[in-house]
Amino acid sequence: MEQQGVRVGDGIALTARDITDRKRNQQEITRQREENQKILDGIPAMVFYKDAHNRILRVNRAVCETLGLPADQIEGRHSAELFPDDADAFYADDLAVIKSGQPKLGYVERVGRTDDGERWVRTDKVPLYDSDHSPIAVIAIAIDVTRLKRTTDRLEESEQRYRGLFDRVPVSVWEQDLRAVGEWLDELRQQGIDDLPAYLEEHPEAINHAKQLHQVKGVNQATFDLM
């Protein structure tokens, strides 16, 4: 019950209003928000809920742990306050998703830095709609892939170094994949063919089949020079 007093002459007029339903509605809204937050906090990825003006409206526990800030120091702030170097790029992606109403999934982007270098995340962004089914906000779900990105970069660098050495060898070198041939020969053995040379001599078409299974993965520059 909500009561109010108003001075009337030498006295006070009291009014009372039943607000039971309003209290129940407020309690239900609070309960739903707490329940939704528990669900968000259980997601093992960073979750951002952002509006069309690049403000962060809601985050989950993973975001707080990554940024080292409590939720009340993140929610309500503009992305530029937390990600000054990347906010414009984030906003461009957000607007593209909001305006098109189409999700943008599975792309890798840089998000700030760690003590030992850049931080990278794999991001999915999906639009949120109002009651008229118009996109008005975006949910971004980001998984830290910094370690995977660094490993991939090192593998690419290693491959480039290997390719450089491969091409500088002054004799013809062929890189071949014989796995399919080996599997085929194993199948012949399982069929009871023990003398493979004799079998291949009796079945010349098998040689052609083996040639088809054989794959040339690459050759070096010296090989091209001989052609």
Side-chain angles (χ1 to χ4, degrees), residues 62-202:
V63 174
C64 299
E65 292 175 349
T66 299
L67 297 182
L69 294 171
D72 60 7
Q73 293 185 26
I74 301 174
E75 296 174 347
R77 298 176 68 179
H78 194 278
S79 287
E81 298 180 63
L82 298 170
F83 308 101
D85 297 331
D86 306 306
D88 289 343
F90 294 165
Y91 191 37
D93 285 337
D94 293 349
L95 285 181
V97 171
I98 292 172
K99 290 179 178 179
S100 69
Q102 298 297 317
K104 184 176 182 181
L105 307 174
Y107 63 98
V108 176
E109 60 182 345
R110 181 172 60 85
V111 183
R113 299 182 63 84
T114 63
D115 293 338
D116 56 349
E118 295 177 332
R119 173 182 285 124
W120 294 84
V121 297
R122 178 192 180 278
T123 304
D124 297 312
K125 292 186 177 181
V126 296
L128 290 179
Y129 302 86
D130 61 15
S131 58
D132 296 326
H133 302 289
S134 298
I136 58 171
V138 65
I139 288 182
I141 302 173
I143 299 175
D144 193 317
V145 294
T146 303
R147 185 175 300 177
L148 176 61
K149 181 73 166 56
R150 290 173 181 171
T151 300
T152 301
D153 289 345
R154 286 195 293 268
L155 288 174
E156 290 178 353
E157 292 172 2
S158 177
E159 172 63 21
Q160 291 175 359
R161 288 195 298 270
Y162 163 76
R163 179 55 55 182
L165 292 171
F166 186 68
D167 283 336
R168 287 197 293 271
V169 175
V171 295
S172 177
V173 179
W174 295 62
E175 183 181 3
Q176 304 178 70
D177 186 347
L178 299 174
R179 286 175 297 179
V181 176
E183 291 172 357
W184 173 67
L185 292 175
D186 287 339
E187 290 177 2
L188 292 179
R189 293 189 182 94
Q190 292 173 7
Q191 295 172 14
I193 300 173
D194 297 324
D195 192 344
L196 288 175
Y199 175 83
L200 295 176
E201 185 175 350
E202 295 175 3

